[in-house]
Amino acid sequence: MNKKDAKNQEKALDNLPGYRPSRLSFHSAYIVFYGLSIISALWQHGHPALTVALLFLLIPFGMMAYIPYRTISRDARFLIQIIIILLAGGWFFYRMICHIQLDKVLIESVCIIGLCFIFAQRREDYDYLLLVSMFLLVYGALLPRTIFIVIFFVALMLALTILYSTRTRSLSGQPGILPPPGVLKRNWPHILIHIIISGLVFWFIFSIFPIEGKQGIGLFDVSFGTDNESDMPEFTLWFKPEKVKKSERGKMEVQTGSPTSIGKTGAPMTVKKSESMSSAGNGGASPPGKDMVFKVKSPVKLYWLAQLYDGYDGNEWTISEDLKNKDSIKDTNLKTKVANCGIEQSFTVEKWVSNSLYAAYRPVSLECSGSQTGTSKIETNFYHSWLKDKNYPAVPFKYRVYSELYMPDIKKESEKDDEVSYWIERLPQKHYLKLPRSKISRRLKLLTRRLTQHVQTPFEKAIILRNYLRENFSYKQFSQKVPEGREATDFFIFELHEGHCEYFASTLTVMARLAGLPARVATGFSPGNYNALTGYFEVHEYHAHAWTQIYIEKMGWITFDATPPGEIVSNTTPFAIGSLRDPFGDSWRIMPPELTRQTLATVRKGFFENMDQSDNANLNVAEKALIETAMAPEKIQDTLRNMLNNAMPGIKGEGFEKFKTLYDDIKKSFEKMINKAGDKIHRFYLWSKKHWAVAFPLFMIIIALFMEIKILEKYFYRRRLLKNCRTWFRRAAASAAVNPIETVRLCYLTVRELLVLAEYPRQHNAELFEYGASLSNHDLQLAKDVVVVFFIYSRYEYGTENVSQEDCQEIMERAGRIRKFIYPLILESEELGPVAVSEDVNPQG
């Protein structure tokens, strides 16, 4: 054998099943779709080096499906897959050690493991690769980034192509079935319709994006480590959050006017602002409701303040006149030089339970949003805001609050000369140390002194007191009231040992003041349930809560919650994916929420944003990276509303309310059309009843026309099937010598259609052999011939063997005999005609 013959023999072996990977004809489409899914899940979100490495590895690993096993053996490919899985596991543990979010780590690991399925070792791997790619694409949709919008249309087109090409494999459940030849050619009208619909949706998404020209040549956004702006500036405005408006320090700005609206039912609310709170709760605890009170979008997880109480007489907490004073802060000309930033919260009130407007402490400005501006009269002071009117606005009532958060001062004791004061209230700190000393028991004073005597810093004292209450007392929703004449904190500490949140808040405030820490009681709502899909904190009635604010030097007023953290309801929805996408975690239960790592990162980011460019240039690499990566699209909802207002100016409503207006208009038009059609039918009925001599013959003519159309339709359908059967059988005879598998398929199709024409249909989706055997009720020889045809077809269509010449001759003989049997039954024997059959076909069968 010469070299040329040996080379040809090797090529022939490479093309045989088992000598090459099980590559499908749409292999490249799977690889590209998987690459787009990686971009969807990781671009500007996952580790940049890993993202780029995975995209580069797609090319060599994907090409291995075209390389025969004699070049790269099965064992070598299996070893590569093992290495990929080990690398994925190593990467998972490495990223977990770096304290990366769990969902991000899992997605990165899934992207790495997906490389195992692009070798085409088995055809089942394509299904796994498609499943992984779809999962990554759906995950990417949860992350608002421009790159997802860019690749979405291309990924959708590829997904349609792959699904159309693999539907036979999916429906049959047999991964070894090859895609039918010409599947895209036969289904091009359906694919074209899907492409047009997808294109229209894609065009609409892009057409509503605002276009604002900007200079910048960077291919990657800032989260990938470059200072250049994106090369697609038309998307920048849509995803970039607006700057937080700064107000004069310490002044609450309210943009509103006179009231013009009332509640949904038209009745005024009866709940009034409470001027006092019992140290054990106002009237004891009551069963918490489940209705949503409000939802809020906020970049940080904080408590939502409704009211502060600063005066205590041993029985109840009250609001002093000084605390009500609108000018309760120092002159704003006295600069404090405290690092701070404004945090925007967007509230949507769903149910009025009080006249308070909630906010994270410390609010500095408030504004009603959209059409609700100027509809409610609001009063405010330095601490919070509330509705003054008896008739509450209609819900949902929307407003925005900007709260000021401080960065803690971590200077060493040797740097005291540059210290600044975090105290900006006109009230002196000793105001928040006042207690009715005659009513505070000696044993409570001794307990507080014992707990804090060896603690140095105020923050540590506050933590010690808080943890003492958390660890030694139980939460109980329905607890005993304070007996007449008893001081509440002494009764709770030494006798009751259990209670609801008002007991814990009041007791911690009293003990903090005994320890020399300025403190006050705060009421409102705990953070609520975080919805990871919408980005909102959903606050329900059962989240109503009381806690303590303690002033700490170099930190400001800090939230300390003495209630056992396990009793504070704060779920993350939806199930499973919600906990993975929760950026806040549970650290706020241990640390004061103003001091968690996520909150401090947000404050630091906002502080750097407001710095001059000259100051920004002096930042180190880590600080610059923090500025670049901390940007979050907090105002996408408002931006979409503005775009919808501009896109549909003639439609009533605000933002997404326009869709409701469109729906109502369509519904009214449809109802009008139905009513109009019903009126015409009724009028026709009256006319027919009056002119029955004309209506009855007309009705019979219509029925006759309908029946004639159905007869003609059946006739032409039957003619088309007969023509197909003759064409297929001739082609089968012609290709018997050159393409045996084509002969088998065409004979099978001919037999199936002839059985339909003979009205021997396949009942209840029976198995092929069961279907063939059931024909013995009509003719035993027919059943035998059909079963043989089905057997030969199944053997080679679902197997890996090549068609033998004997089987090719056998199926031609059987199909010919079936034709001769069925044609007389369908009165078409004159159309049988001669068929050119190979001389090798055994006429005796």
Side-chain angles (χ1 to χ4, degrees), residues 727-751 789 792-793 796-797 803-816 836-838 841:
T727 303
W728 290 337
F729 195 72
R730 290 193 179 100
R731 286 174 52 192
S735 61
V738 294
N739 193 354
I741 187 61
E742 184 70 12
T743 298
V744 170
R745 290 171 179 166
L746 291 174
C747 287
Y748 170 77
L749 290 175
T750 302
V751 170
V789 170
I792 295 175
Y793 170 77
Y796 295 110
E797 183 66 20
V803 180
S804 66
Q805 192 64 33
E806 292 77 8
D807 286 340
C808 183
Q809 295 172 0
E810 179 74 15
I811 198 171
M812 281 292 300
E813 170 67 18
R814 300 283 183 169
V837 182
S838 173
V841 177

Side-chain angles (χ1 to χ4, degrees), residues 171-192:
L171 292 174
S172 66
Q174 299 291 333
I177 298 178
L178 292 174
V183 60
L184 297 181
K185 182 179 179 181
R186 292 197 301 270
N187 292 280
W188 70 266
H190 307 85
I191 300 177
L192 181 61

Side-chain angles (χ1 to χ4, degrees), residues 397-596:
F397 179 78
K398 300 180 180 181
Y399 63 94
R400 296 179 188 171
V401 178
Y402 297 91
S403 299
E404 197 168 59
L405 297 183
Y406 297 142
M407 277 291 297
D409 190 349
I410 56 175
K411 296 184 179 69
K412 297 180 180 179
E413 294 295 329
S414 59
E415 302 175 358
K416 287 184 177 181
D417 55 333
D418 194 32
E419 285 185 1
V420 294
S421 175
Y422 280 64
W423 188 269
I424 60 174
E425 299 185 27
R426 291 188 182 277
L427 286 170
Q429 293 187 22
K430 63 181 180 181
H431 173 79
Y432 295 101
L433 296 175
K434 294 179 181 180
L435 286 172
R437 298 288 175 174
S438 59
K439 295 185 178 181
I440 303 300
S441 66
R442 184 172 180 272
R443 58 181 179 178
L444 180 61
K445 297 176 183 177
L446 292 176
L447 173 63
T448 304
R449 185 183 306 168
R450 178 174 60 84
L451 292 173
T452 60
Q453 62 181 347
H454 298 299
V455 182
Q456 299 297 325
T457 66
F459 180 76
E460 291 176 343
K461 287 183 179 181
I463 291 293
I464 288 293
L465 294 174
R466 184 202 67 175
N467 290 348
Y468 170 76
L469 294 176
R470 284 186 171 185
E471 296 168 1
N472 295 279
F473 300 87
S474 304
Y475 178 86
K476 187 176 182 180
Q477 180 66 45
F478 303 99
S479 55
Q480 182 181 348
K481 294 183 179 180
V482 181
E484 191 71 24
R486 290 292 304 273
E487 195 273 321
T489 56
D490 180 86
F491 174 71
F492 175 70
I493 290 288
F494 298 105
E495 296 184 30
L496 188 58
H497 303 296
E498 62 182 12
H500 41 71
C501 57
E502 288 93 341
Y503 272 113
F504 286 94
S506 178
T507 302
L508 178 59
T509 306
V510 170
M511 295 182 73
R513 291 188 176 188
L514 288 174
L517 303 176
R520 59 197 181 194
V521 173
T523 60
F525 289 87
S526 59
N529 301 332
Y530 180 70
N531 190 320
L533 296 182
T534 63
Y536 277 93
F537 292 97
E538 298 172 347
V539 183
H540 300 258
E541 290 177 327
Y542 56 79
H543 290 118
H545 197 50
W547 63 96
T548 302
Q549 284 188 352
I550 300 178
Y551 178 78
I552 306 295
E553 285 293 343
K554 301 183 181 181
M555 292 184 183
W557 286 101
I558 301 298
T559 297
F560 290 89
D561 192 349
T563 302
E567 304 296 340
I568 305 173
V569 179
S570 181
N571 301 320
T572 307
T573 57
F575 177 73
I577 185 65
S579 59
L580 295 178
R581 288 299 308 142
D582 183 5
F584 305 101
D586 288 325
S587 59
W588 62 276
R589 297 181 184 271
I590 302 172
M591 287 290 292
E594 296 88 351
L595 302 179
T596 61

Side-chain angles (χ1 to χ4, degrees), residues 23-40:
R23 174 173 51 84
L24 293 180
S25 56
F26 293 93
H27 177 77
S28 58
Y30 279 93
I31 300 302
V32 175
F33 185 59
Y34 178 57
L36 294 176
S37 301
I38 291 177
I39 297 175
S40 169

Side-chain angles (χ1 to χ4, degrees), residues 252 294 296-306 308 341-347 357-366 382-385 399-405 522-525 527 537 547 549 557 559 593-594 599:
M252 176 78 77
F294 62 89
V296 54
K297 178 163 286 190
S298 170
V300 292
K301 190 170 188 175
L302 300 174
Y303 285 59
W304 314 117
L305 177 66
L308 292 173
C341 80
I343 300 297
E344 178 190 344
Q345 309 125 63
S346 298
F347 284 83
L357 295 178
Y358 315 101
Y361 184 81
R362 177 183 73 93
V364 294
S365 67
L366 181 147
F382 168 70
Y383 305 99
H384 65 101
S385 302
Y399 63 94
R400 296 179 188 171
V401 178
Y402 297 91
S403 299
E404 197 168 59
L405 297 183
T523 60
F525 289 87
F537 292 97
W547 63 96
Q549 284 188 352
W557 286 101
T559 297
E594 296 88 351
T599 302

Side-chain angles (χ1 to χ4, degrees), residues 628-666:
E628 294 169 350
T629 57
M631 299 299 291
E634 300 296 336
K635 292 189 178 179
I636 291 181
Q637 186 80 13
D638 296 328
T639 307
L640 275 176
R641 183 177 62 252
N642 294 332
M643 286 187 285
L644 289 173
N645 291 339
N646 295 331
M648 298 182 285
I651 300 177
K652 296 181 180 180
E654 183 74 17
F656 288 98
E657 295 175 0
K658 293 180 179 292
F659 288 109
K660 186 178 184 301
T661 303
L662 282 174
Y663 171 76
D664 292 337
D665 292 342
I666 294 173

